[in-house]
Amino acid sequence: MMEFQKKRKIEAVVMEKGDSPVRRWEDLDINILVTILLSFDLFQLIYAIPQVCRAWRLVCCDPLLWKTLDLSVLQSNFIRLPLKPYVYVDSPSEKKLTGLLNICLNLSRGNIQTLIFHTNLYVNDNQLTFAAERCPRLKRLVMPFWNKIKKRTMCRAIHIWKDLESLTMPSINNPARVIEEIGRSCQNFSALKIMGTCDMLFASALASFLPNLEVLSVRCTVLSKPALAIILEELKKLKVLNISHCIITEDPEDPPLEPMNILTELDESILEKASRLDKFLTCMSDSCIMCQRALNDQGFMRWYKYEEDLWKVDEVKSLAV
């Protein structure tokens, strides 16, 4: 009888354990799940995770997952042309970017604060407009080096991004319109990186429309001494200036086919003007590989020739990608 009762007790314990509910993946604490999902890459987050279950699909919209949309993993397939538009982008590349933006911007629900494009990703007017409308709270934008975007489209986007604080942009002809729109629409704007030539027109536009600029990087490009003087004299609130690996020329614009009159060191007048800055970052060394590359490329860096992520580098930490 005692053995029989002992056996029944054991069976009851087994039964209790067998009847206990099994925890499902969708019951995982949301905060823990979000922390886990932060370690996944973009493509896993938008294509794989939402397929697990409805609860995980909803978690993929959590604002913490969408503070930054980093599209530096995506490049366009393109062919360079000698005449306008200077580049041909194949249709699959454009469709892939459009599809990716559509998914990401729907999941993000307007929470993206940093948007990063690869330097060789060709973004068109429609794609940028869509991004602007769906990312109204954007604070930092890293544009591609080459682009197919009209100035009026860029200005409309900037008008939407009233919280914009930092911009990495290619050099453009007659930049006043874009720079003026930044000054008018983005009251908190403080940091600019130019991936291209900063000529007298660009420097003058900065002085006229962005007098409160605090951080400026014009590394690895051609920068004339007069343009540098404008930057140092007119941008009264500038705290950090990065001209590392720049080709500093004596004259505002050297005539076509004429050799550039390159300075080997900065003179006392420039150094004195720069002494008020918190940081003045320079490098003009013959032994520096980046200085040599800038010189070989005549100040128009062919980033595609070098290490994959070299274009992301900046001596100013806040402007590095």
Side-chain angles (χ1 to χ4, degrees):
M1 185 73 176
M2 292 286 293
E3 289 182 2
F4 176 75
Q5 289 177 341
K6 186 176 180 181
K7 183 178 179 183
R8 290 296 299 267
K9 284 182 180 179
I10 294 173
E11 287 176 351
V13 170
V14 171
M15 230 175 179
E16 274 180 21
K17 290 182 178 178
D19 288 345
S20 63
V22 177
R23 294 195 67 183
R24 298 173 299 177
W25 281 109
E26 53 262 43
D27 296 329
L28 188 64
D29 181 83
I30 290 179
N31 294 325
I32 295 175
L33 181 55
V34 169
T35 302
I36 294 172
L37 294 185
L38 284 169
S39 65
F40 285 78
D41 66 34
L42 176 64
F43 296 103
Q44 291 171 326
L45 182 63
I46 66 174
Y47 292 128
I49 302 302
Q51 305 304 318
V52 175
C53 62
R54 183 176 180 275
W56 281 35
R57 186 161 55 251
L58 292 175
V59 172
C60 285
C61 297
D62 191 282
L64 288 176
L65 298 173
W66 294 103
K67 285 186 176 181
T68 297
L69 176 55
D70 186 353
L71 296 178
S72 64
V73 295
L74 191 66
Q75 299 185 53
S76 299
N77 293 321
F78 61 91
I79 300 173
R80 292 182 182 81
L81 304 172
L83 302 173
K84 283 187 177 182
Y86 302 115
V87 66
Y88 167 78
V89 181
D90 69 359
S91 180
S93 289
E94 288 199 340
K95 290 180 179 178
K96 183 176 182 179
L97 176 57
T98 298
L100 192 63
L101 281 173
N102 187 55
I103 296 172
C104 292
L105 300 185
N106 282 333
L107 288 173
S108 68
R109 297 181 178 178
N111 289 303
I112 293 172
Q113 296 182 23
T114 298
L115 177 57
I116 301 170
F117 292 108
H118 192 284
T119 185
N120 284 334
L121 184 62
Y122 289 83
V123 181
N124 62 36
D125 288 338
N126 292 334
Q127 291 162 342
L128 185 71
T129 299
F130 181 61
E133 292 170 349
R134 303 301 293 271
C135 305
R137 299 167 59 192
L138 200 68
K139 292 185 176 181
R140 184 187 182 194
L141 174 64
V142 177
M143 291 290 293
F145 185 64
W146 295 293
N147 61 75
K148 301 169 66 179
I149 301 168
K150 297 181 179 68
K151 287 180 186 176
R152 65 173 178 269
T153 303
M154 189 67 196
C155 288
R156 287 172 189 160
I158 291 170
H159 184 71
I160 295 173
W161 289 322
K162 298 187 183 301
D163 294 331
L164 193 67
E165 299 174 1
S166 174
L167 174 64
T168 297
M169 65 179 292
S171 181
I172 55 176
N173 294 324
N174 302 316
R177 183 178 176 187
V178 174
I179 301 300
E180 182 179 8
E181 187 61 50
I182 295 173
R184 181 167 50 236
S185 300
C186 311
Q187 299 303 310
N188 297 322
F189 192 82
S190 62
L192 177 66
K193 177 175 180 177
I194 304 169
M195 299 278 285
T197 303
C198 182
D199 56 17
M200 290 286 288
L201 282 175
F202 219 123
S204 298
L206 294 179
S208 297
F209 305 116
L210 294 179
N212 296 323
L213 193 67
E214 296 180 1
V215 180
L216 177 63
S217 178
V218 288
R219 67 193 301 272
C220 301
T221 188
V222 176
L223 178 63
S224 72
K225 182 181 172 182
L228 179 56
I230 289 175
I231 290 169
L232 291 171
E233 291 171 0
E234 301 299 329
L235 295 177
K236 306 294 186 183
K237 296 188 178 181
L238 195 66
K239 297 178 181 178
V240 179
L241 176 59
N242 182 18
I243 61 169
S244 298
H245 324 300
C246 275
I247 300 172
I248 311 295
T249 61
E250 183 70 46
D251 304 313
E253 292 182 6
D254 290 308
L257 304 179
E258 289 291 326
M260 290 185 289
N261 186 8
I262 300 173
L263 301 180
T264 57
E265 60 182 6
L266 296 173
D267 61 31
E268 286 300 321
S269 65
I270 293 295
L271 294 175
E272 184 179 352
K273 290 181 177 70
S275 63
R276 67 176 179 82
L277 301 174
D278 293 344
K279 287 185 180 180
F280 183 42
L281 303 168
T282 69
C283 181
M284 301 170 66
S285 172
D286 291 337
S287 60
C288 172
I289 187 171
M290 287 306 300
C291 288
Q292 286 300 314
R293 286 172 170 175
L295 190 60
N296 292 338
D297 288 345
Q298 297 183 317
F300 298 93
M301 291 294 290
R302 277 74 170 178
W303 297 104
Y304 60 86
K305 299 194 305 184
Y306 306 117
E307 296 88 337
E308 171 60 29
D309 291 334
L310 187 63
W311 65 273
K312 298 180 178 181
V313 175
D314 199 287
E315 289 73 17
V316 180
K317 187 176 180 181
S318 62
L319 291 175
V321 176

